[in-house]
Every structure is written in structure tokens, then in C-alpha cells.
């Protein structure tokens, strides 16, 4: 998730939609006052621009780290609400933290993906370290842990809250459209980050159920 005061845009990072690649690319054009959230350490090497910055926040809605994690001295999780701004933040929380003036005046965008394909991508990502890898059907039985829904990230009260919703299937062109809308004329390339491996056509993994 990025809030750029330099270019006056808010990028809401959805799941399994090349969000890490987009965030890495946008980091190249950010300024020192912009908010850039961290993501997994193994993917930070794809970021050639600014590192995560300005994402910690003192705000009434920012919860404290769970007491048991502090007592056991567990490391802070980069994606937890206690850090302040974090990746995959829902729109309502970004709006609450940033304030109405910034939210209403900045260009807001996100990306979405065919949900059938998105789900398969999430399956390969979540099972990438498991050997043997469970079947897709077995993975999907635990719907609470398996199901991905991005709608709450880019909507508020059931209504789309962004100015532009790009399509993963049209990634390069739609990313360029977003850059055009924020007035960035210099070329910005997308790295291939956090790509799920071992995939064929997503249709092959679905059964009747």
C-alpha cells in the first residue's frame, strides 16, 4: 500500500494481482514524505526504489501488538494492523488514517483479477513450501483460510471506493493508464515479483464441487 504525497495518489494493494510488482515499481517514483508499506523480506530484493518508510502511525484506530506476542518476544509482523499502515489494508482504514482531505483529493487505484484464476494463484502461493503439496480440492475445504476476496480492500460500505480499478489480465496497459492519470510521464517498468510457480491452466484444478 502506498500513499504518495509527491504524486497525490493512493495505491491499494490487493491479493494475488501483481500487487508486489506494482508496489516495487511505484517505489521508484516516490518521494521522502510518501508512505510505503513493507512486504515479505524475500520480496524486498525486487524493490529498487525507496524502501518501506513512514508507515508507522500513532492513531486511535491502530491496535497495540497482542500482549502474548510481546511477552514471548515474538517478532513484529509486517502485515499486522499494529504497525500502522500495512499491505492489503481495506479502503475504510486507509481513509480513516489519511483523513478526508487526502482521501477525497488523491487519485486512488487498485487491481483485480479473475477470481477463479486468483484463487488458484493463492493456492500455489500458500502451499509453496509444503511437500507433498495438498491437492487444490483439499486446500479449498478450509474456506476460512483458503478463500481470497479483495472487494473489501477497494470498497467502502459495499461501493467501489477507488477512481480506477485495473485488471490483472490487462496489467501492463492498465498500469500505464494509472501512471498517466497521476501525471507520471517517465517509463516505469514492472518487475516479476512474488510469482507463483508450477501452474498450468486454472481450469484444470476445478472439479464439479
Amino acid at each position: 500500500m502506498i500513499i504518495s504525497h509527491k504524486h497525490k495518489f493512493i495505491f491499494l494493494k490487493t491479493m494475488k494481482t501483481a500487487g508486489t510488482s506494482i508496489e516495487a515499481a511505484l517505489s521508484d517514483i516516490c518521494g521522502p514524505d510518501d508512505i510505503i508499506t513493507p512486504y515479505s523480506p524475500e520480496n524486498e530484493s525486487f524493490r529498487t526504489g525507496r524502501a518501506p518508510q513512514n508507515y508507522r502511525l500513532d492513531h486511535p484506530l491502530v491496535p497495540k501488538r497482542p500482549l502474548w506476542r510481546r511477552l514471548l518476544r515474538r517478532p513484529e509482523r509486517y502485515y499486522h494492523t499494529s504497525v500502522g499502515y500495512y499491505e492489503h489494508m481495506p479502503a475504510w482504514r486507509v481513509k480513516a488514517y489519511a483523513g478526508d482531505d487526502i482521501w477525497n483529493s488523491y487519485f486512488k487505484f487498485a487491481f483485480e483479477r479473475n477470481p477463479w484464476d486468483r484463487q488458484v494463484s493463492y493456492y500455489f502461493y500458500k502451499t509453496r513450501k509444503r511437500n507433498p503439496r495438498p491437492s487444490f480440492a483439499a486446500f479449498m475445504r478450509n474456506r476460512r483460510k483458503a478463500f481470497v476476496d479483495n472487494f473489501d480492500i477497494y470498497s467502502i460500505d459495499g461501493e467501489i471506493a477507488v477512481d480506477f480499478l485495473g485488471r490483472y489480465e490487462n496489467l501492463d496497459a492498465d498500469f500505464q493508464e494509472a501512471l498517466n492519470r497521476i501525471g507520471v510521464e517517465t517509463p516505469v517498468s514492472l518487475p516479476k515479483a512474488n510469482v507463483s510457480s508450477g501452474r498450468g491452466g486454472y481450469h484444470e484444478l476445478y472439479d464439479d464441487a
Side-chain angles (χ1 to χ4, degrees):
M1 199 285 301
I2 291 178
I3 298 179
S4 174
H5 302 299
K6 179 180 178 181
H7 295 287
K8 291 182 168 46
F9 73 79
I10 298 174
F11 168 63
L12 300 176
K13 183 180 180 181
T14 49
M15 300 178 68
K16 307 315 297 176
T17 57
T20 298
S21 297
I22 295 169
E23 195 170 53
L26 292 173
S27 297
D28 286 341
I29 64 172
C30 284
D33 298 324
D34 294 349
I35 297 166
I36 304 173
T37 60
Y39 43 63
S40 61
E42 66 260 29
N43 286 321
E44 283 295 341
S45 61
F46 294 104
R47 202 195 301 261
T48 58
R50 291 186 176 275
Q53 60 181 28
N54 306 323
Y55 59 88
R56 294 198 177 275
L57 185 68
D58 182 14
H59 190 280
L61 290 177
V62 177
K64 295 186 180 297
R65 289 185 65 208
L67 178 61
W68 70 270
R69 293 190 69 88
R70 284 181 280 152
L71 291 175
L72 294 177
R73 296 184 179 181
R74 296 289 179 87
E76 186 177 48
R77 295 175 293 180
Y78 64 91
Y79 52 84
H80 195 269
T81 55
S82 62
V83 304
Y85 289 99
Y86 59 96
E87 68 171 359
H88 308 312
M89 279 182 71
W92 72 265
R93 191 180 288 273
V94 178
K95 181 181 180 181
Y97 288 178
D100 288 343
D101 288 345
I102 288 176
W103 179 263
N104 292 331
S105 61
Y106 283 23
F107 175 70
K108 301 171 288 294
F109 68 104
F111 278 77
E112 190 52 287
R113 182 177 188 170
N114 176 338
W116 302 87
D117 189 34
R118 183 186 64 204
Q119 193 62 58
V120 169
S121 177
Y122 190 65
Y123 155 70
F124 277 107
Y125 173 71
K126 295 298 286 186
T127 60
R128 67 193 185 283
K129 295 180 181 179
R130 296 172 64 177
N131 187 17
R133 171 176 269 148
S135 69
F136 181 62
F139 175 77
M140 289 298 294
R141 288 191 192 108
N142 189 338
R143 188 176 180 86
R144 183 179 64 83
K145 291 185 177 181
F147 190 68
V148 180
D149 186 0
N150 285 325
F151 187 66
D152 285 344
I153 295 177
Y154 56 81
S155 69
I156 297 177
D157 295 331
E159 299 290 337
I160 292 178
V162 294
D163 303 302
F164 178 68
L165 187 62
R167 292 294 301 271
Y168 173 87
E169 293 79 11
N170 198 36
L171 180 61
D172 289 334
D174 282 0
F175 181 60
Q176 188 58 53
E177 172 65 19
L179 293 176
N180 293 341
R181 298 276 290 273
I182 61 178
V184 174
E185 298 179 354
T186 56
V188 179
S189 59
L190 283 168
K192 300 296 183 183
N194 201 22
V195 178
S196 301
S197 60
R199 295 192 54 194
Y202 72 86
H203 303 81
E204 300 171 6
L205 292 180
Y206 287 95
D207 54 23
D208 290 342

